[in-house]
Amino acid sequence: MEEQESVSHGRQLDRQQVASRALKAYQAGDPLQRIATDAGMRAYDMLRLLSIRVADQSEQQRSEALRRRCSATADVLRKDAHRVVQLLEAGNESSDIPRVLAALGATIDIDIASELLKNRDLLIDPVLRRRPFKVTDMMWLRYVTGYRRGIAPNYALALGKVPLPEIHGFRMILSEALSRQQVGQIIALIETTAEAIDAGDDEGISFSEYQESREAIIRKASGEGIPLAPPPAERIREGTTGRSWHLALESVGMKFPAVEGGFAAADYEDASQAYRATEGLFGSPKDVDSYDSWMIAERAMGRDRPSAVAIGRHFGAWEPVIGAYVPLEEDELRGMISHLRTEAAADYAWARAAELISEVLRTMPWNSFLSIQYGAGADGGPQPYAQITPGPDGAWCEIVSEEFLQPDDWPIYPERLLQDGWSNPDAEFPNWFREGVALEDAGHVTLEGLREGRSCHEADELRWHTGSFPSGTNPDGGVTVEDVLKGSVQTLRNAS
């Protein structure tokens, strides 16, 4: 029996090590398929493993790493574009070309280059990549962008420009519903915006920002009795040859915008639409690693997209992401998708709490300790708790045992704790414990133990601080890392 427990313990410790290595590789910007292959796992299973450890900080680290790696790799490929095209035309697989270039002396990131070469558009000059679409949609896109930026129409500039045929046609469309003065204001804003773009102010607006601005324009115009309604973002997107928002932006000389503060729901939908429009260029759309490959290539083209982890969380399951290929029976799957999205939201909350705790641990001196308590304990009843003590050899982690929190008072699942690598309490150490845990993993490991071993379900019920166990009510306002180190209680709600 002891031998079986030891084997199980070792197997689970290996799994914890796999999770730790996978998270580091993810943060470093490695492709999902590479991470999964190194772990001997399917990409979908790796995505599930990462989803319980990845939150805001890990996503930010990955985004920054990919930005650096993609930019450097794209530069190498573009400088050697003639040779790359020759190798492709000679029948070489795109995945083999980075190794050939490296053998010829190029300093190149082979993993990233293999992903980028799945789309030859990368090798084409950005100006030549522009793909025209409906002229009136181009005009509207410039107008809404100028409105979003708060650009003041330059009438003298607009009058000084040669009246291009597309402007004339657009004017004719507008004049059916608007006065000449209103038409002039719109045309002037379009021309002023176009001038700013040509001068280098070429940061575009996102799909969701266009939608927001369009609605604001309609509300304002309606209040003034003006029948002005730019077309929906969906129509602008569908009017491009590739049915993609970034192609619409590039067609008028703008770049895909950098994402600040996370993605809106419309940005996830646009990413799904654009991914489906590649029609399998990056592999089967049913494979999550194919989406990851596409997302990396998009990053190299200067376009921020949600990660595979993030888009999976948003949609709840992979089927809605690739709905154009796998038609969904809404009545049959609605409940399942809703359940999966709820689970994904819970995973994110626990992962974010672990990241916040890890941030505190990084700044703690050896032999101080961080206390974690689950639940406010307002009724005076016993609550689960844990403790992490950092040291030079890693962290010492404890979770309350049956001795101090009886199963009748709160559920405990010893088999799950054993499977996750925790050691049984004994006379010397009366709580469940793990030693030598890497500091960057200690928050995740301890919270996973509370969640699975002590049946703590709601991440919002977690509180942590340094010093003695907390008592009383949570402090108002934001709580920083420095506050926690001084003993203040931090939660998901008041973390700042």
Side-chain angles (χ1 to χ4, degrees):
M1 181 66 178
E2 289 182 4
E3 184 177 347
Q4 288 179 343
E5 280 190 5
S6 177
V7 171
S8 175
H9 189 177
R11 190 161 54 240
Q12 294 302 327
L13 282 178
D14 289 342
R15 201 157 65 196
Q16 290 287 355
Q17 292 168 358
V18 166
S20 177
R21 286 196 297 268
L23 182 60
K24 290 182 177 68
Y26 182 85
Q27 293 166 338
D30 286 359
L32 180 62
Q33 184 57 58
R34 164 61 64 189
I35 300 172
T37 299
D38 289 347
M41 298 171 64
R42 296 186 308 157
Y44 189 86
D45 293 332
M46 176 54 69
L47 188 71
R48 172 60 188 157
L49 178 64
L50 287 169
S51 71
I52 63 175
R53 292 212 171 190
V54 169
D56 300 350
Q57 293 175 13
S58 292
E59 291 284 23
Q60 181 64 28
Q61 286 178 264
R62 180 172 178 78
S63 178
E64 292 172 356
L66 280 174
R67 186 173 291 112
R68 293 191 300 269
R69 293 176 67 174
C70 287
S71 176
T73 305
D75 285 346
V76 173
L77 292 174
R78 289 185 182 121
K79 287 176 183 176
D80 218 353
H82 181 68
R83 178 178 290 171
V84 171
V85 171
Q86 284 183 322
L87 290 169
L88 286 168
E89 291 177 346
N92 290 280
E93 294 290 335
S94 60
S95 57
D96 294 332
I97 291 175
R99 292 182 175 82
V100 174
L101 295 177
L104 293 173
T107 302
I108 191 167
D109 187 326
I110 291 175
D111 285 337
I112 296 297
S114 297
E115 304 295 345
L116 303 191
L117 285 176
K118 292 176 181 177
N119 185 357
R120 295 194 191 186
D121 276 0
L122 178 76
L123 304 175
I124 303 173
D125 184 272
V127 175
L128 299 178
R129 281 204 304 265
R130 296 183 186 178
R131 305 175 190 184
F133 68 116
K134 195 172 181 180
V135 171
T136 53
D137 287 348
M138 294 172 68
M139 299 299 105
W140 280 122
L141 182 53
R142 290 192 182 107
Y143 175 74
V144 175
T145 299
Y147 181 90
R148 177 86 184 186
R149 292 181 181 178
I151 292 176
N154 186 333
Y155 295 94
L157 170 69
L159 285 171
K161 284 200 166 187
V162 177
L164 299 174
E166 56 262 31
I167 290 290
H168 177 72
F170 190 60
R171 183 186 291 113
M172 292 302 99
I173 293 172
L174 292 174
S175 64
E176 295 179 3
L178 305 177
S179 69
R180 290 182 178 180
Q181 183 179 9
Q182 291 161 349
V183 171
Q185 188 275 337
I186 292 172
I187 296 296
L189 181 54
I190 289 171
E191 291 294 351
T192 309
T193 302
E195 183 78 4
I197 293 170
D198 291 341
D201 188 7
D202 57 356
E203 180 82 357
I205 61 176
S206 70
F207 186 86
S208 58
E209 288 171 339
Y210 179 96
Q211 287 185 315
E212 292 170 2
S213 298
R214 173 182 179 267
E215 292 168 3
I217 290 168
I218 292 173
R219 284 196 303 270
K220 184 174 185 294
S222 177
E224 297 172 355
I226 301 172
L228 179 62
E234 290 84 358
R235 198 192 90 181
I236 297 286
R237 180 180 64 195
E238 295 304 314
T240 68
T241 55
R243 304 191 304 280
S244 180
W245 187 250
H246 77 263
L247 293 178
L249 293 172
E250 290 177 359
S251 293
V252 296
M254 289 191 288
K255 298 185 300 186
F256 200 76
V259 175
E260 301 292 342
F263 297 94
D267 298 321
Y268 287 99
E269 293 160 11
D270 180 54
S272 172
Q273 175 75 14
Y275 168 60
R276 295 197 301 255
T278 65
E279 298 180 346
L281 181 64
F282 293 85
S284 169
K286 298 179 182 180
D287 297 333
V288 295
D289 53 302
S290 297
Y291 175 88
D292 184 68
S293 296
W294 171 78
M295 183 274 296
I296 291 173
E298 287 284 282
R299 176 63 265 173
M301 305 281 269
R303 303 188 281 262
D304 285 339
R305 298 291 194 178
S307 70
V309 172
I311 202 166
R313 278 182 180 143
H314 176 80
F315 286 101
W318 204 247
E319 286 78 6
V321 180
I322 57 172
Y325 292 86
V326 183
L328 301 179
E329 296 293 338
E330 186 176 359
D331 291 340
E332 182 179 341
L333 292 178
R334 185 188 296 130
M336 180 188 301
I337 298 301
S338 176
H339 174 71
L340 290 171
R341 292 185 74 174
T342 299
E343 283 190 339
D347 287 343
Y348 165 77
W350 282 89
R352 181 166 180 264
E355 286 186 346
L356 290 166
I357 286 171
S358 296
E359 185 180 7
V360 177
L361 287 170
R362 279 195 295 271
T363 60
M364 288 175 59
W366 303 149
N367 298 320
S368 60
F369 67 89
L370 184 142
S371 171
I372 305 169
Q373 187 170 13
Y374 182 80
D379 59 358
Q383 303 289 134
Y385 59 85
Q387 184 170 295
I388 304 173
T389 304
D393 299 321
W396 172 274
C397 306
E398 295 183 39
I399 291 176
V400 61
S401 68
E402 303 92 318
E403 180 179 348
F404 302 108
L405 185 60
Q406 297 294 322
D408 290 343
D409 294 323
W410 201 278
I412 187 166
Y413 299 95
E415 66 283 359
R416 293 187 185 177
L417 289 167
L418 288 170
Q419 288 171 359
D420 284 341
W422 292 84
S423 296
N424 269 308
D426 56 30
E428 186 176 3
F429 305 113
N431 279 324
W432 291 87
F433 66 93
R434 288 191 59 172
E435 56 185 323
V437 179
L439 287 180
E440 62 269 22
D441 297 328
H444 292 286
V445 168
T446 304
L447 291 192
E448 286 166 19
L450 281 172
R451 188 180 183 187
E452 298 296 329
R454 293 252 54 167
S455 196
C456 300
H457 301 302
E458 304 294 334
D460 281 347
E461 294 296 315
L462 292 166
R463 300 185 297 157
W464 57 92
H465 74 154
T466 58
S468 60
F469 286 105
S471 60
T473 59
N474 292 337
D476 294 329
V479 178
T480 66
V481 171
E482 291 75 17
D483 295 330
V484 181
L485 292 172
K486 295 174 183 176
S488 296
V489 178
Q490 191 177 58
T491 69
L492 280 175
R493 295 187 185 90
N494 68 11
S496 61

